[in-house]
Amino acid sequence: MAFNLLQYPALASQRRRFHRRWTSLAGLVVGGLTALWWMAGVQEQRLHLEQERALLQSRLKQVQTQLATDKALHAQHTTWQQQAAHVQALKVELQTWEDLHQALLQEAGPDSVQLLRFQLESQTLELHGQAINLQRMAQAQERLSVPLADPARDTAWTLVSLLNAAGADNAAPSATQEFVWQAHWPQLGAGRVAAVPGRDRLKAESGRQRP
């Protein structure tokens, strides 16, 4: 290439400055584009992470909701089982009460004892009555223990008091005797159940009409 003196020194210097400017400008443009591409990638990755986080939170909420539902269903099922067991126990106790009621009506006749008061307190049945014949009283006590003689309940009538109705020490052996029987009765609920004392005598008049 021929050496041209017209290009030196001013033209060569000008070209070098122009070349540096364009090179710097191109570097800035390339660097800016690279920075923009990198920032776009970071933003896209951040958005992707946010979407994954939102999805995980949604799944976690669903799992928590399902767990709460399962827990509520389990508690409800347990409550139903307890209620069913309680109803079954009430059914058994009601049947036992019916058996005892029938036995009381059968014993309240003219040929047996006279029942005056019947109450339930502190898981103890208490039956007050009168009898002229002690042998018949003992037989009635034994018969009334039959519907309650359940080994699981361990219930039977026990004589806890026997007094002469007139209160005289020299009363005749055939005088009317007042007695108190007691029996254990496991209650499903607390409270006191008592019959009206006196002439009502547990409505035993219906039993006295038997032949």
Side-chain angles (χ1 to χ4, degrees):
M1 182 176 180
F3 184 75
N4 188 0
L5 294 176
L6 295 177
Q7 295 181 355
Y8 293 96
L11 185 58
S13 176
Q14 184 179 3
R15 287 183 176 181
R16 285 196 299 271
R17 288 195 302 270
F18 180 78
H19 178 71
R20 285 197 299 268
R21 290 176 181 175
W22 276 103
T23 303
S24 300
L25 182 60
L28 291 175
V29 172
V30 172
L33 292 176
T34 303
L36 290 176
W37 175 81
W38 180 80
M39 290 179 64
V42 171
Q43 186 67 22
E44 183 179 0
Q45 187 176 6
R46 180 180 298 176
L47 292 176
H48 182 69
L49 292 176
E50 290 292 337
Q51 292 177 354
E52 289 185 351
R53 181 181 178 183
L55 181 60
L56 290 176
Q57 289 179 349
S58 177
R59 291 180 178 177
L60 179 60
K61 186 176 181 179
Q62 292 178 357
V63 171
Q64 291 176 347
T65 303
Q66 185 65 34
L67 288 176
T69 303
D70 294 342
K71 185 177 180 180
L73 291 176
H74 179 71
Q76 188 175 20
H77 181 67
T78 303
T79 302
W80 287 344
Q81 288 182 336
Q82 293 175 352
Q83 291 177 350
H86 186 68
V87 170
Q88 183 64 25
L90 286 176
K91 182 179 178 180
V92 173
E93 185 169 5
L94 178 61
Q95 183 62 44
T96 308
W97 271 112
E98 291 179 355
D99 296 340
L100 175 59
H101 178 68
Q102 293 297 327
L104 289 174
L105 291 179
Q106 292 176 4
E107 292 301 329
D111 297 332
S112 185
V113 300
Q114 294 181 352
L115 304 179
L116 304 178
R117 180 178 177 83
F118 178 60
Q119 70 181 35
L120 171 61
E121 185 177 9
S122 301
Q123 297 190 356
T124 300
L125 286 173
E126 191 169 279
L127 181 60
H128 297 246
Q130 291 181 350
I132 297 178
N133 191 313
L134 296 182
Q135 182 178 0
R136 290 183 178 178
M137 183 193 71
Q139 293 174 354
Q141 177 186 354
E142 183 178 357
R143 286 193 296 267
L144 282 178
S145 298
V146 172
L148 302 178
D150 185 357
R153 300 174 68 94
D154 191 18
T155 305
W157 291 103
T158 303
L159 180 64
V160 296
S161 177
L162 180 62
L163 299 174
N164 187 273
D169 296 336
N170 56 352
S174 60
T176 302
Q177 305 291 323
E178 292 186 353
F179 62 86
V180 178
W181 294 337
Q182 283 186 355
H184 178 67
W185 189 277
Q187 300 180 66
L188 294 180
R192 173 175 176 172
V193 179
V196 178
R199 297 183 178 271
D200 290 344
R201 298 182 179 181
L202 300 174
K203 303 296 182 181
E205 288 78 5
S206 60
R208 296 177 183 176
Q209 295 178 0
R210 66 179 184 181

